[in-house]
Amino acid sequence: MNPRHLWERLTGAVVRRGTAATVGALALIAAFVLAGAAVGAPDAAAARPSGSTSSGQWSCAGAPIPSGYVLTNHDPAGCNGRGSWYQEPVKDGMWTCGGSPVVPGYVSTAFNRAGCNGVGAWKHNLAKDGIWTCGGSPIVAGYVTNDYLRSGCNGVGAWKHRIAKAGILTCPGSPIPPGFRSTTFQAGGSGGLGAWLLARA
């Protein structure tokens, strides 16, 4: 074979192999980058609105909420339009979004229909004797509902929470803690709903 033809065949094979290797490497890199775009980190970045600097964490709708955390903000455009939520540890007096968990020991005490970017917001407070809570709020163990205000909590209705003790009235649906029983009925009690006198069992 002519040396020139031999040289052209050898260099052509090397170039073809080099090109194939380069194309293969580029395809592998592209696959890695695209795979990365489909998993956690970019999703978390998509959950975070621009300019966010708080110490909590943004998450996409449906992400688990850690124990002791509540949802305090909502970005409907986050997570590629699925919506994102800001999670942070609960503290007394904070506002949380509708649908947020209520951490044990806390109750909902106020309601803002326009809060949390239109989702609605609820104020969370630690339970204490005599606190007024919104309809649907949890009742902490050892407490009873003692009074009712129909117009309370921005129209949702409000219930007064009291630590259970003999001699106080309890509203319909109030839990009766262990060691107590309901006795005499008073038709005018609990904001007109009727109430029962609590006594020791």
Side-chain angles (χ1 to χ4, degrees), residues 35-48:
V39 296
D43 217 23
R48 190 179 307 111

Side-chain angles (χ1 to χ4, degrees), residues 4-110:
R4 181 177 175 183
H5 290 160
L6 180 60
W7 174 252
E8 287 173 355
R9 285 183 66 184
L10 288 173
T11 54
V14 169
V15 168
R16 283 191 299 276
R17 280 197 298 271
T19 302
T22 302
V23 169
L26 288 174
L28 185 61
I29 291 168
F32 180 79
V33 169
L34 290 174
V39 296
D43 217 23
R48 190 179 307 111
S50 60
S52 175
T53 58
S54 287
S55 58
Q57 60 191 27
W58 282 94
S59 64
C60 293
I65 302 169
S67 178
Y69 278 65
V70 289
L71 305 175
T72 59
N73 203 352
H74 174 58
D75 177 20
C79 292
N80 300 316
R82 288 182 290 140
S84 58
W85 300 86
Y86 191 68
Q87 301 179 358
E88 61 180 307
V90 70
K91 59 186 176 186
D92 194 28
M94 78 187 322
W95 284 88
T96 66
C97 298
S100 172
V102 180
V103 174
Y106 284 80
V107 289
S108 302
T109 58

